[in-house]
Amino acid sequence: MINKTHQPDAKSWVDVPEGSDFPIQNLPYGIFSTNDHPQKRVGVAIGHQILDLEKAAKHLSIADKSVFSSEVLNDFMALGKEVHQSVRTELFDLLSEGNTTIDASYLVNQSDATLYIPIQIGDYTDFYSSEEHATNVGIMFRGKDNALMPNWKHIPVGYHGRASSIVVSGTDLHRPKGQKMPPNADAPVYGPSSRMDIELEMAFVVGKSTALGDTVEAEEAEDYIFGMMLFNDWSARDIQKWEYVPLGPFLGKNFGSTVSPWVVTMEALAPFRVAGPEQSPTPLPYLQTTGPRAFDIQLEVSLQPEGLAPQVICNSNFKYLYWSMSQQLAHQTVNGCNLNVGDMCASGTISGPTKDSFGSLLELTWNGTEPITLSDGSQRTFLEDNDTIIMKGWCEKDGLRIGFGEATGKILPSKK
Amino acid sequence: MINKTHQPDAKSWVDVPEGSDFPIQNLPYGIFSTNDHPQKRVGVAIGHQILDLEKAAKHLSIADKSVFSSEVLNDFMALGKEVHQSVRTELFDLLSEGNTTIDASYLVNQSDATLYIPIQIGDYTDFYSSEEHATNVGIMFRGKDNALMPNWKHIPVGYHGRASSIVVSGTDLHRPKGQKMPPNADAPVYGPSSRMDIELEMAFVVGKSTALGDTVEAEEAEDYIFGMMLFNDWSARDIQKWEYVPLGPFLGKNFGSTVSPWVVTMEALAPFRVAGPEQSPTPLPYLQTTGPRAFDIQLEVSLQPEGLAPQVICNSNFKYLYWSMSQQLAHQTVNGCNLNVGDMCASGTISGPTKDSFGSLLELTWNGTEPITLSDGSQRTFLEDNDTIIMKGWCEKDGLRIGFGEATGKILPSKK
């Protein structure tokens, strides 16, 4: 799938600063509006600009141009891979150095635009696919000998989460309140979470539906994936710990999750495909695939306390995940569960092998026993009010760099 | 809230047979189409008929009549309790004996109509609110001394389920395939579930949205509930058992859930309000309510093997539930999780105190050790291919009877 849209030396007539997440080889989709045209519509990020696809649609061969005037990407996603591929090639040409079909009047400064959650999300699944994360959490809660559950190496473990509270980067969230059981207490208490955590994840968006009863073969699963985003699965550990037995996380998670505004397509990610970790024991046949199914996506988390500069607290990589997106999707549908365009599946916390690559404060501070020291000398175990978390992700190889932008959010004090 | 629409002796000019689920005091909403008018639209069940609200809308004072031409009830639900109450009163008048404003030309035979899932479901939550069910399952899996988890009497335990695979009564489902760990095996195997079960539940539908960060007081929670339906939470116990630790049920549940086609409104249910079980220990203040919050709804489950008559296997009652819908909804939002119109919340299996009131085969056959004997002498532990399950529900008091219709589904053999 390496074609001209992946050439590292390709340039756009739009200015793309060195190190930008959005060179001409990326072309991620989002939903934006502007003050002078407040209707939400589809755009593509290029450098510091957005190409307005509602306006540019007349230069594209796509039959149904109304998909670019939609408030969500779902209608465009539903058109299928062939259309996505041809739109990508045409956008690449329109934006290529020397092409004069369109000009700067088709562009909007990202700083002049409001970005929205780009997907009408149907069902949202959260997987648990990092062996390092599952092991770390297991050691903390059950000890070294029972760290991984018996099913973990056989099943891409996952559960359903809350779609309504998934918000776009830049949306601040109030610290959740709820029930928690203090250590050594006789009865639970009600109050704000005192163990506010993050989970560094990525999510993929389903771009092709299935009928109830149908299954998706692991080998074909990528046909059903439109693209990827950064995902912060905010977690209130005290609420989660008290509630999660036996039916899983609920209020410890569903007060909010943050996604980045741009959906990077699988076509753009193609050059960064790598092999994932070796899997032993060999998964059951319905989970087997050929060829590399992981992606080399560098991930970075920064914590920014009020009034201080952001400080990097984690560097990880999407390629560390034990279970691939193909396996996750094959598993999700093996029982006939149907997919809709706009369904979202998150990876689970993406922790790497070293301590500085752990994707949650729970792991980074080892359950609060090893605090992080900040630039002003203060310490963090879990998040304080008005702390901001900034997640970034990018791929880099042979002079080609494409990025995901940011998934950023601030934890405001609890509402009265 | 007892008003003229609840008078037991009120009669309609539409024929309503003795014992019908749909007398003039019920007026449940659904979505239907007919051969000669295949567009989905809103109707109200009355006797064996459906009042076509698209057609009757001109006789109602509601401002936006287009809500009755919608393919789902969401737009109507979003109009609020005052509108629902006034439409109910006007429909009651239009259908009352002696009223000649409309006639039989506004009616469609239910047998001539196709019924659809009446809600565009947003997020779906499944609670676990029957003490008897939680205790039974706990005894089977953890023994008598640890039957109820420590959180159970403090929290209306719940988890998020799959909205995409909720289907309307009459939709047959294929037996799901998946991973399961046979007893004493070294490794999991792949294949059709051999422990196909049911869960007798009811669901309520959210009719009023909240903003992210807001909470709903338990005392006010019923303002956010539009109505109720029967709900069969089909469960593949072998798949569920292997997968559910530590993040809860996933593929053991999400291959399909069946709802009844008619939404019975909270206004119709008002005469059947009763006190629920006494709660000890006293719940935290955010879960406290005044006045009776349970509803006396009789529930019945029948199993119909291919070629045999249906056989009742369970009689239960919604009033057995330990946690009320008000408490469930207050808990769901205590952390600021937002509600959308169309969200659905199921009760969890509704088991009563006696063995014939258990709401799942797991309990009725005590984990398969005490099979049910059928009319032809054959036995059931879990469901066989082509078994049909029929769930019914109704309220009865002082000569007034309103019902929910049926939630029916057949388990077809696994797909190849």
Side-chain angles (χ1 to χ4, degrees), chain A residues 154 162 179 251 254 335 343, chain B residues 154 162 251 254 335 343:
Chain A
H154 298 280
R162 184 86 187 174
Q179 237 188 85
L251 299 185
N254 67 11
N335 67 346
D343 288 346
Chain B
H154 299 280
R162 185 87 187 174
L251 299 184
N254 68 12
N335 67 345
D343 288 347

Side-chain angles (χ1 to χ4, degrees), chain A residues 73-127:
Chain A
L73 295 175
N74 296 49
D75 291 340
F76 174 61
M77 294 196 297
L79 295 177
K81 288 274 180 194
E82 260 183 66
V83 172
H84 305 154
Q85 189 61 57
S86 104
V87 170
R88 175 176 168 83
T89 306
E90 291 178 24
L91 288 174
F92 183 89
D93 290 340
L94 282 176
L95 290 166
S96 283
E97 206 166 45
N99 190 307
T100 56
T101 312
I102 61 173
D103 59 20
S105 71
Y106 288 77
L107 303 175
V108 168
N109 274 316
Q110 283 172 29
S111 56
D112 295 334
T114 304
L115 294 168
Y116 301 91
I117 189 152
I119 311 291
Q120 172 73 44
I121 303 168
D123 280 292
Y124 154 57
T125 300
D126 193 22
F127 286 96

Side-chain angles (χ1 to χ4, degrees), chain B residues 207-229:
Chain B
K208 186 175 175 182
S209 62
T210 65
L212 190 62
D214 286 353
T215 57
V216 172
E217 301 291 324
E219 197 63 22
E220 317 298 330
E222 285 185 10
D223 293 349
Y224 293 77
I225 302 177
F226 176 75
M228 297 179 66
M229 311 162 87

